[in-house]
Amino acid sequence: MGGYYWGEKDTVEDCRSVSISFLKKGDYFCGYRSGGIVWKNSYGEEISSIGVAVSTMDGDNYVQFQYTTTDRNTGGKTEYDYKVRLTTTRCNFGGVRYWFVCPLTKDGVYCGRRVAKLYKAPGAHYYGCRHCYNLSYESRNETRTGRIGVFRNVMKAERQIKELHSQIKRWTYKGRPTKKVRKLLTLQEKMSYGLSLSNMLLRQ
Ligand SMILES: [Zn+2]
């Protein structure tokens, strides 16, 4: 599969993405299941959609993507239908965790990275990992979105922290912080980053 090349660094929010957690929430890892994903704009209008099917039958683990793209210049439509391999790792507490295996090839080298999220950058043809598409997590609109966005994120993190706090029963397991505790620490980090950012914006 061909890669896609970017001159400037795009951010993850410019892209359509499909995550393992989304598929898990939709109960896709249950043998075979097909469905779809619809993206809507802030007015609730559909802006794009794809068909997905997931097979976890008899070790034949894959996600099948089906969608049509429209060429911005010519208006010509191209249909895509391909499978992305899924792999598994064992969870500490039993069961397995699924991962996508990035199907892209960059500079003639097959990627094959194990990732939890696949992206389709604007204008790109295939879903692939953020390394292949050279995506950054930083929002280029951060200053444009301004304080409201930052405050909203801080408030959201604060809510999540409170919620997690009430859920945590064990803080360590075998001397290491539990999954929930690790998540809490990440959120706290995010919140203090958000707070310092909003203070900075306030001063501007
Ligand atoms: Zn990749």
Side-chain angles (χ1 to χ4, degrees), residues 102-104 111-113 128-132:
C102 175
L104 298 183
C111 174
R113 277 188 184 88
C129 76
R130 75 183 177 89
H131 306 280
C132 283

Side-chain angles (χ1 to χ4, degrees), residues 78-98:
T78 313
E79 281 182 26
Y80 292 89
D81 185 342
Y82 57 92
K83 292 172 182 175
V84 169
R85 208 153 59 80
L86 288 171
T87 186
T88 56
T89 53
R90 279 199 187 285
C91 293
N92 288 342
F93 305 104
V96 292
R97 173 178 296 191
Y98 286 94

Side-chain angles (χ1 to χ4, degrees), residues 160-169 171 184 188:
Q160 287 173 317
I161 286 168
K162 270 188 191 152
E163 213 176 287
L164 266 175
H165 248 291
S166 65
Q167 286 172 3
I168 291 169
K169 294 187 184 82
W171 287 79
L184 185 80
Q188 278 171 344

Side-chain angles (χ1 to χ4, degrees), residues 1-174:
M1 256 175 229
Y4 192 86
Y5 304 95
W6 292 95
E8 62 176 291
K9 199 146 176 135
D10 275 82
T11 68
V12 291
E13 61 190 20
D14 294 327
C15 306
R16 306 262 173 272
S17 69
V18 178
S19 68
I20 290 291
S21 60
F22 173 86
L23 295 174
K24 203 177 160 193
K25 268 184 210 142
D27 253 336
Y28 275 93
F29 302 111
C30 60
Y32 183 85
R33 189 178 160 164
S34 63
I37 303 173
V38 174
W39 286 276
K40 291 179 177 170
N41 63 15
S42 50
Y43 302 105
E45 295 158 339
E46 182 177 327
I47 43 174
S48 90
S49 68
I50 62 167
V52 285
V54 177
S55 165
T56 51
M57 274 195 299
D58 308 320
D60 189 18
N61 299 338
Y62 65 81
V63 182
Q64 187 173 7
F65 288 99
Q66 286 174 312
Y67 51 85
T68 306
T69 61
T70 309
D71 189 292
R72 276 178 197 165
N73 300 319
T74 65
K77 291 189 188 300
T78 313
E79 281 182 26
Y80 292 89
D81 185 342
Y82 57 92
K83 292 172 182 175
V84 169
R85 208 153 59 80
L86 288 171
T87 186
T88 56
T89 53
R90 279 199 187 285
C91 293
N92 288 342
F93 305 104
V96 292
R97 173 178 296 191
Y98 286 94
W99 302 89
F100 300 110
V101 178
C102 175
L104 298 183
T105 301
K106 201 173 180 182
D107 302 327
V109 181
Y110 167 66
C111 174
R113 277 188 184 88
R114 198 173 70 190
V115 289
K117 209 165 186 178
L118 290 178
Y119 302 89
K120 192 165 86 61
H125 302 299
Y126 296 101
Y127 278 84
C129 76
R130 75 183 177 89
H131 306 280
C132 283
Y133 284 128
N134 196 26
L135 298 170
S136 78
Y137 276 126
E138 262 112 73
S139 166
R140 92 157 72 104
N141 299 319
E142 209 137 67
T143 42
R144 241 185 291 158
T145 320
R147 294 199 288 265
I148 296 169
V150 176
F151 276 136
R152 200 176 289 152
N153 285 339
V154 169
M155 274 158 62
K156 194 177 158 198
E158 203 177 1
R159 237 186 2 254
Q160 287 173 317
I161 286 168
K162 270 188 191 152
E163 213 176 287
L164 266 175
H165 248 291
S166 65
Q167 286 172 3
I168 291 169
K169 294 187 184 82
R170 283 193 80 127
W171 287 79
T172 54
Y173 180 79
K174 288 182 180 167

